Amino acid sequence: MKCRKCGKAAVINMRQHRLALCQECFLAWVPEQVQRAIERFDMFAPNDRVLVAVSGGKDSLSLWDILLRLGYAADGVYINLGISDGEYSDLSQRRAEQFARQYGATLHVIDVAQRYGRSIPEVARRKRGRSTCGTCGLVKRHIMNELACEAGYSALATGHNMDDEAAVLFQNALHWATGYLARQAPVLPASHPRLACKVKPLVRLYEREMAAYALVRGIDYIYAECPYSKGATTLFYKDLLNELEVRSPGAKQQFYLHFLQARNEGRLLPLEEQEVELGECTRCGQPTTAPELCAFCRLWEVETAAQNRHSHAARTEGL
Ligand code: AMP
Ligand code: FES
Ligand code: ZN
């Protein structure tokens, strides 16, 4: 197969675009798609400072690489969650640090256990009713948002690609979770001084394209998935959508892009429904819908109460 742009041997065929490209043209095409998403969804301006949330995986490291190639002032943040199975967290931290060194870029590293006293698996074990991934997501969102606001970044960028977004959309649509559907967007503007603007510049790209990009660019990323993500329902939905894609190339893209179009035109949900009343957490000051403490602060609070009960029981038993 030949590259449609220059006629050299193609390295990738993207059936949904009816486009085969050689290595060189593909490496130019991917940043073009990202730039189009940035402009189309008004994510940030050329002189804005952007904070990229890097997990050490292919998507977020490629995103960082692309933003730097496009000339954006992009720093990174890596959150060490303390997941030690297969040294998952330490290994991914090394990948993020190695990238930062190689590119001469700034990386903020935040170690959850060092800063808050416990790793994610430890907190999750003590906190009933919330899964490890749920706890992890809550902690990551809080830390990233806090850093982005305090350090004055214009936007916080994550490496979610179109497959991620389509799978979440599928899940939300299956449950008609209208609140989540209303908030699922490539850009969430800063609706409060302590809420960072959140952007997903890779939404136009399939996961397969991101894997090819990382490979062709020679980006050294962690291949292993988080041990807690095994059997996750979103992975199942991704597989289902990929089956659909095999039969009907472009189906995944249409599903997601038509949703965005309907959402933006207000055809999907009444826009007023999207307004939420926000107060401030009495401990950390971050916006919350809860009356006193935000969910993040409650996480450590409940844990402390459980710990107290535990140590009280231990002391009583010792008598
Ligand atoms: P995930 O929720 O693991 O699919 O990750 C989605 C996005 O969140 C990634 O593309 C990253 O941008 C960001 N992210 C995930 N894990 C971390 C982490 N440990 N530190 C910083 N950012 C992360
Ligand atoms: Fe957070 Fe897996 S990355 S639980
Ligand atoms: Zn709080």
Side-chain angles (χ1 to χ4, degrees):
M1 198 172 303
K2 286 195 173 154
C3 172
R4 212 181 74 192
K5 293 200 186 219
C6 74
K8 278 197 224 138
V11 293
I12 187 163
N13 182 21
M14 296 171 285
R15 289 175 65 200
Q16 80 278 21
H17 299 303
R18 295 192 190 165
L19 182 66
L21 293 176
C22 70
Q23 181 158 326
E24 205 177 312
C25 293
F26 179 63
L27 286 179
W29 180 85
V30 172
E32 277 167 25
Q33 298 307 305
V34 175
Q35 183 58 34
R36 269 177 73 178
I38 294 170
E39 288 171 16
R40 162 79 182 74
F41 299 110
D42 202 10
M43 293 185 176
F44 43 83
N47 295 325
D48 281 346
R49 286 171 67 234
V50 182
L51 181 64
V52 185
V54 285
S55 64
K58 65 177 190 318
D59 298 296
S60 48
L61 283 180
S62 296
L63 171 60
W64 202 3
D65 165 275
I66 293 164
L67 293 182
L68 291 171
R69 281 184 68 199
L70 287 169
Y72 288 102
D75 293 348
V77 54
Y78 174 79
I79 302 170
N80 189 313
L81 307 157
I83 297 171
S84 51
D85 290 29
E87 295 193 344
Y88 177 74
S89 288
D90 291 343
L91 207 61
S92 42
Q93 179 171 337
R94 283 206 288 280
R95 293 288 176 271
E97 285 174 338
Q98 186 184 315
F99 180 100
R101 258 196 315 276
Q102 199 182 330
Y103 286 66
T106 301
L107 176 71
H108 305 267
V109 176
I110 294 163
D111 189 303
V112 173
Q114 262 174 30
R115 185 183 280 196
Y116 300 100
R118 293 208 186 286
S119 67
I120 292 296
E122 283 168 343
V123 183
R125 256 198 303 277
R126 282 158 185 264
K127 173 91 181 146
R128 294 200 186 95
R130 208 186 267 274
S131 66
T132 307
C133 289
T135 307
C136 174
L138 171 64
V139 171
K140 281 192 293 204
R141 282 194 298 277
H142 180 95
I143 295 175
M144 289 174 196
N145 181 66
E146 192 173 60
L147 176 64
C149 289
E150 283 178 2
Y153 288 99
S154 302
L156 169 67
T158 51
H160 294 95
N161 56 43
M162 194 184 280
D163 291 45
D164 296 322
E165 293 302 293
V168 170
L169 173 61
F170 192 57
Q171 183 165 22
N172 289 339
L174 276 182
H175 296 98
W176 289 119
T178 51
Y180 287 133
L181 285 169
R183 284 193 298 275
Q184 193 183 344
V187 179
L188 283 180
S191 53
H192 183 282
R194 296 188 75 162
L195 276 183
C197 167
K198 299 184 184 81
V199 299
K200 298 171 187 170
L202 300 184
V203 285
R204 295 180 60 88
L205 292 150
Y206 277 10
E207 189 150 320
R208 172 174 173 265
E209 287 148 22
M210 292 318 299
Y213 182 84
L215 188 80
V216 177
R217 271 295 280 169
I219 293 172
D220 194 4
Y221 64 90
I222 179 163
Y223 294 95
E225 293 286 340
C226 164
Y228 295 100
S229 73
K230 281 197 194 95
T233 37
T234 40
L235 295 183
F236 174 62
Y237 295 140
K238 274 188 183 179
D239 288 344
L240 282 181
L241 289 169
N242 281 335
E243 273 184 45
L244 190 65
E245 184 73 20
V246 170
R247 287 190 189 205
S248 169
K252 197 160 52 183
Q253 173 176 280
Q254 272 180 33
F255 176 56
Y256 180 63
L257 294 181
H258 287 177
F259 157 73
L260 288 187
Q261 202 177 349
R263 187 186 174 279
N264 288 349
E265 290 169 0
R267 283 192 278 125
L268 204 62
L269 305 155
L271 290 171
E272 312 83 73
E273 237 184 59
Q274 298 171 23
E275 300 292 328
V276 198
E277 194 64 39
L278 284 180
E280 279 179 13
C281 170
T282 51
R283 180 168 302 163
C284 73
Q286 280 204 20
T288 177
T289 48
E292 276 183 41
L293 294 183
C294 72
F296 176 83
C297 289
R298 278 198 315 257
L299 199 62
W300 312 94
E301 178 80 357
V302 169
E303 195 214 339
T304 314
Q307 238 178 308
N308 286 344
R309 273 201 304 280
H310 180 75
S311 53
H312 175 72
R315 275 199 309 276
T316 318
E317 275 165 26
L319 281 175

